Amino acid sequence: MAVVNRLLKPRVPTFYSLAGTLRILSSSSSSSSLNSGIDIRPQSSINRKPLGLDPQGRSVQWVFLGCPGVGKGTYASRFSKLLGVPHISTGDLVREEISSHGPLASQLADIVNQGKLVSDEIIINLLSKRLEAGEAKGESGFILDGFPRTIRQAEILDGVTDIDLVINLKLREEALLAKCLGRRICSECGGNYNVACIDIKSEDGSPVMYMAPLLPPPHCASKLITRSDDTEEVVKERLRVYNEMTQPVEEFYRSRRKLLEFDLPGGIPESWPKLLQSLNLDTHEDTKSAAA
Ligand code: AMP
């Protein structure tokens, strides 16, 4: 605990030292004492120029929360391009570890294919390695997708750096399962597509929500694969695990006034401009090219 307290004073101010500190904290902490001196930055601070830097000139540090299938990866990747900070998906890190056939691979594959969460220690270790590799390349800032997923992960992250903003994406429950089952990935370029056509109507038949499929370009069409955990049984378990383990993380950030709740009104064409608008980013020049 002494190590934790020493590390937290002063709170780690830069991205540079985040990876190493994350690793130390995860191996030496119990969860409850990490939340001293929280910096509650008003959400209006995101309306700044240039994009990608906070008012102190530090690259932004954002988190995307939301149920499986909501589209965290899609929006995180768009903001990553727009803001010029890396998009770091812990799900991708886990899948890379599995395909590396390293010592953890089969254990991780079992956990993922059951729809359960990987242990906090393993996930923080993978994230620390990714951050270290990024630091070595001169990266700064990040958009985290799929992390934190437990209160302990949120507390550890909070202990090492100040997150600027947490975007909580929400979608009608009946669309989530269909979107997971419709997800397709190009095995060559990694492009994400979705063959599901979501067309929700009310009892009287009037349209409630429509999301067109996101079909692959011809050169990806013959190389599409599905994720092994995108089966109906596993997706239902992932949704249950989200409600049990990750929903409390929403409250964690809500109480720190960092949470932006965003109800997706439909597919990308309707949702992206509204999301930019809710962040006061819609008038910025750079958003026009990002929307293209
Ligand atoms: P995702 O691509 O975000 O749906 O993640 C795929 C799987 O990786 C999850 O179902 C978990 O098994 C694992 N995973 C990803 N991120 C985390 C995390 N932060 N904590 C624990 N397990 C995770």
Side-chain angles (χ1 to χ4, degrees), residues 8 31 54-55 124 152 169 174 218 224 277 291:
L8 288 176
S31 60
D54 75 4
I124 284 169
R152 179 153 180 258
L169 296 179
E174 55 264 58
L224 297 183
Q277 208 175 17

Side-chain angles (χ1 to χ4, degrees), residues 38-273:
I38 294 159
D39 168 16
I40 300 176
R41 190 169 298 154
Q43 290 198 352
S44 59
S45 68
I46 56 175
N47 186 12
R48 70 211 167 271
K49 289 174 184 170
L51 287 179
L53 297 182
D54 75 4
Q56 285 76 44
R58 186 194 69 162
S59 295
V60 295
Q61 303 188 155
W62 287 10
V63 164
F64 270 81
L65 285 182
C67 287
V70 78
K72 295 185 294 294
T74 303
Y75 293 98
S77 153
R78 284 189 160 229
F79 277 112
S80 157
K81 289 188 191 115
L82 179 64
L83 303 175
V85 294
H87 165 205
I88 301 179
S89 149
T90 47
D92 284 348
L93 298 181
V94 169
R95 283 182 286 277
E96 278 162 27
E97 190 65 25
I98 292 172
S99 28
S100 76
H101 300 293
L104 290 176
S106 70
Q107 182 195 343
L108 291 180
D110 283 350
I111 296 169
V112 169
N113 290 331
Q114 288 171 43
K116 308 281 189 226
L117 290 186
V118 171
S119 74
D120 292 335
E121 285 68 26
I122 291 179
I123 211 79
I124 284 169
N125 200 27
L126 292 177
L127 180 58
S128 301
K129 275 202 263 173
R130 168 63 186 82
L131 289 168
E132 273 162 12
E135 286 170 9
K137 289 192 290 180
E139 280 180 1
S140 64
F142 52 74
I143 295 181
L144 289 178
D145 155 13
F147 184 95
R149 251 177 160 105
T150 64
I151 287 285
R152 179 153 180 258
Q153 291 175 14
E155 287 173 334
I156 289 172
L157 186 63
D158 191 56
V160 293
T161 196
D162 279 320
I163 294 299
D164 301 300
L165 177 69
V166 179
I167 300 178
N168 186 26
L169 296 179
K170 291 175 168 173
L171 190 60
R172 300 174 68 92
E173 208 169 321
E174 55 264 58
L176 293 170
L177 178 62
K179 280 202 62 212
C180 284
L181 298 182
R183 179 159 37 203
R184 299 289 182 275
I185 298 149
C186 174
S187 55
E188 202 165 277
C189 72
N192 272 280
Y193 307 104
N194 208 300
V195 296
C197 180
I198 315 268
D199 190 4
I200 301 172
K201 294 203 164 67
S202 65
E203 274 175 18
D204 66 3
S206 52
V208 172
M209 174 184 271
Y210 181 78
M211 294 172 87
L214 184 59
L215 296 174
H219 55 274
C220 294
S222 60
K223 298 160 198 144
L224 297 183
I225 52 170
T226 53
R227 274 171 50 169
S228 60
D229 57 345
D230 275 341
T231 63
E232 182 164 347
E233 192 191 352
V234 179
V235 172
K236 284 184 174 160
E237 175 62 5
R238 286 160 59 204
L239 288 167
R240 191 195 66 73
V241 168
Y242 184 90
N243 290 334
E244 182 186 320
M245 306 297 287
T246 312
Q247 219 163 27
V249 176
E250 297 176 9
E251 186 49 40
F252 178 93
Y253 288 116
R254 190 176 294 116
S255 66
R256 286 157 178 76
R257 294 168 47 205
K258 297 196 175 191
L259 194 72
L260 175 82
E261 311 262 15
F262 187 79
D263 280 300
L264 290 158
I268 296 170
E270 304 85 44
S271 303
W272 177 244

